[in-house]
Amino acid sequence: MTELLDDRPTLTTPSPLDDARGQLADAIAVLELGQGMFDLLAAPRRELTVSIPLRRDDGTVEILTGHRVQHNYSRGPAKGGLRYSPHVDLNEVRALAMWMTWKCALLDVPYGGAKGGIAIDPRLYSQAELERVTRRYTSEIMPLIGPSHDIPAPDIGTDEQTMAWMMDTYSVNTGHTVLGVVTGKPISLGGSHGRASATSRGVVHVALQALDYLKIRREGASAAVQGFGKVGRGATRFLWEAGLRIEAVGDQYGAIRADNGIDVAALEAHVDATGTVVGFAGADPIDAAHLLELDVDLLVPAAIEGVLHAGNAAQVRARLIVEGANGPTTTEADGILNARGVTVVPDILANAGGVIVSYFEWVQANQAYWWTEDQVEARLSERMIGAWQHVVNHATARGLTLRAAATSLAVQRVAEAHRQRGLYP
């Protein structure tokens, strides 16, 4: 399961949904699309909130709450992860679904955006209890999902086993095996080679391009990574293999630092044995919040949204931020970082590797023909580097930040799909 690291700002900070709508408003202004298009794209197309009764292993019954939001599906079926976290609420899911729409459009993947979540801390439940939760949630949202309707995938707190349970529940209820209903499945159940590491690899493809863009030599460049789950762990390893010096790593339990660089292979062995980066003999402990303020070339926030905010953005000393998480930088922090000359590669570009290979998995499942890992990786690299160059060219031509450039390109594609389809009476 992915870590549930929480370094969220105070309640006075705007919510992820405020940030998502603010980014949309900025894009609408750049594109001169008007209030009507903003209203159309700001509102989710469908939302479903369900109660999930769970019989615990001790026989007691608990009621959980789950959500599924389909923000937009003008360009294709809805697509988005399923998150298990105690912080899940409907507005968070709405924001994540909107960002997913822009991510798919920016990478020219024929999907719209969706997201799901259950307010649960998976660390406090047994595997059998999580299976019961997943199967009940799947049965409750079945009217919305399907390989041509809405395709869930793993996110924080969920993994390929969660997707296997969802696929099986959906298949049993439809009377036949439907491999394309979810992505991020085990290889043995129609998953794609390269899917587990796709988001991490995509982050690193873009990070290396951004280092080149800023004329920072890759070999020996310093990096700090917040989060050591399914995105942060892979990103740390791939950056290390590319020759960067990993100075700091954090997870939900704490953070560590080594000025001369961390041996990532040794750190992975430590985490496999203990479940945390804390206590690793090859580094010193540091305050988790301080990790975000280290003097490094590259910072990769790869945990949750909102960790870079008005309260700490002025202390960030990294030259380059590549967003491995969804929405880790608030609108206020964006403004502060931009004014200080810090380059921020936005989430809808940086962490899009997962949805690209999810799309590849969906295509393979629909064709019943599977690609090799080398084929998947080559196509992922081509998509990520091509999207990076497209965003950089647009930002340069229009005098925009990378986030404004990426969001306006994505919104333009979705708005054009709306115009071409028209409004149903």
Side-chain angles (χ1 to χ4, degrees):
M1 299 291 183
T2 302
E3 73 277 359
L4 298 170
L5 189 152
D6 194 5
D7 182 30
R8 296 178 185 224
T10 63
L11 294 175
T12 58
T13 300
S15 71
L17 185 59
D18 293 328
D19 289 330
R21 288 176 172 167
Q23 292 163 12
L24 171 60
D26 291 343
I28 292 290
V30 168
L31 298 168
E32 299 180 344
L33 293 178
Q35 184 66 38
M37 186 58 74
F38 171 82
D39 292 341
L40 192 65
L41 296 180
R45 296 289 294 272
R46 286 182 184 149
E47 298 181 342
L48 180 63
T49 295
V50 298
S51 293
I52 306 164
L54 166 65
R55 188 178 301 280
R56 300 295 301 267
D57 292 339
D58 63 5
T60 61
V61 174
E62 181 178 344
I63 306 299
L64 304 170
T65 300
H67 310 283
R68 189 71 184 175
V69 173
Q70 295 173 348
H71 171 257
N72 187 276
Y73 38 85
S74 292
R75 300 182 69 256
K79 185 79 181 79
L82 171 62
R83 173 173 295 194
Y84 286 2
S85 165
H87 306 293
V88 164
D89 61 36
L90 185 54
N91 278 343
E92 178 189 59
V93 178
R94 286 167 172 160
L96 294 166
M98 185 184 297
W99 283 323
M100 196 69 186
T101 297
W102 313 144
K103 190 180 301 184
C104 293
L106 179 64
L107 275 294
D108 202 20
V109 173
Y111 289 140
K115 204 74 175 185
I118 299 175
I120 182 175
D121 186 341
R123 297 171 296 185
L124 305 180
Y125 294 78
S126 71
Q127 191 80 338
E129 290 170 335
L130 292 173
E131 179 176 358
R132 293 196 287 273
V133 167
T134 301
R135 290 185 181 277
R136 182 57 183 253
Y137 172 78
T138 304
S139 67
E140 292 287 349
I141 68 167
M142 269 194 65
L144 267 65
I145 64 173
S148 60
H149 299 78
D150 180 356
I151 306 106
D155 196 85
I156 288 175
T158 59
D159 55 20
E160 64 177 22
Q161 179 60 73
T162 315
M163 296 302 105
W165 291 329
M166 291 194 79
M167 186 274 286
D168 181 69
T169 305
Y170 184 89
S171 297
V172 168
N173 279 277
T174 54
H176 64 284
T177 298
V178 185
L179 296 178
V181 66
V182 296
T183 59
K185 303 181 298 296
I187 297 293
S188 60
L189 294 177
S192 174
H193 291 288
R195 172 60 183 87
S197 63
T199 306
S200 302
R201 287 195 180 277
V203 166
V204 174
H205 283 313
V206 170
L208 296 178
Q209 294 298 310
L211 288 170
D212 293 345
Y213 172 72
L214 294 175
K215 297 181 171 53
I216 300 173
R217 188 170 178 267
R218 298 180 182 184
E219 188 70 31
S222 57
V225 181
Q226 184 205 39
F228 206 70
K230 61 170 64 76
V231 177
R233 177 170 175 161
T236 301
R237 168 167 276 279
F238 299 142
L239 288 168
W240 183 61
E241 291 175 347
L244 277 75
R245 185 176 72 256
I246 308 300
E247 288 196 3
V249 176
D251 62 16
Q252 78 267 32
Y253 302 108
I256 57 172
R257 178 183 183 181
D259 291 340
N260 294 326
I262 293 169
D263 183 330
V264 174
L267 176 60
E268 288 180 321
H270 171 80
V271 171
D272 288 341
T274 67
T276 175
V277 303
V278 175
F280 176 59
D284 298 319
I286 60 169
D287 182 73
H290 182 57
L291 180 146
L292 299 167
E293 302 170 3
L294 294 177
D295 186 7
V296 292
D297 295 310
L298 169 65
L299 172 64
V300 180
I304 59 170
E305 64 272 9
V307 297
L308 295 172
H309 47 82
N312 63 6
Q315 284 73 53
V316 172
R317 289 183 286 171
R319 293 180 59 189
L320 170 65
I321 297 172
V322 177
E323 296 184 334
N326 292 313
T329 310
T330 68
T331 299
E332 292 93 337
D334 245 346
I336 295 168
L337 293 167
N338 183 50
R340 297 178 57 231
V342 179
T343 298
V344 180
V345 182
D347 48 2
I348 63 171
L349 171 60
N351 68 28
V355 74
I356 291 172
V357 180
S358 279
Y359 170 57
F360 294 164
E361 181 179 332
W362 180 72
V363 168
Q364 292 169 79
N366 289 339
Q367 294 177 338
Y369 180 81
W370 277 263
W371 307 341
T372 66
E373 187 163 359
D374 287 344
Q375 289 174 315
V376 171
E377 168 56 24
R379 288 167 174 163
L380 170 63
S381 175
E382 180 183 6
R383 285 286 190 116
M384 292 301 299
I385 293 173
W388 159 261
Q389 198 58 59
H390 190 37
V391 170
V392 167
N393 291 343
H394 187 61
T396 302
R398 298 291 299 271
L400 302 171
T401 66
L402 294 179
R403 189 184 309 283
T407 306
S408 59
L409 283 170
V411 171
Q412 186 173 39
R413 285 178 174 167
V414 178
E416 183 63 20
H418 270 297
R419 286 200 190 99
Q420 291 174 333
R421 291 182 61 155
L423 292 176
Y424 188 69

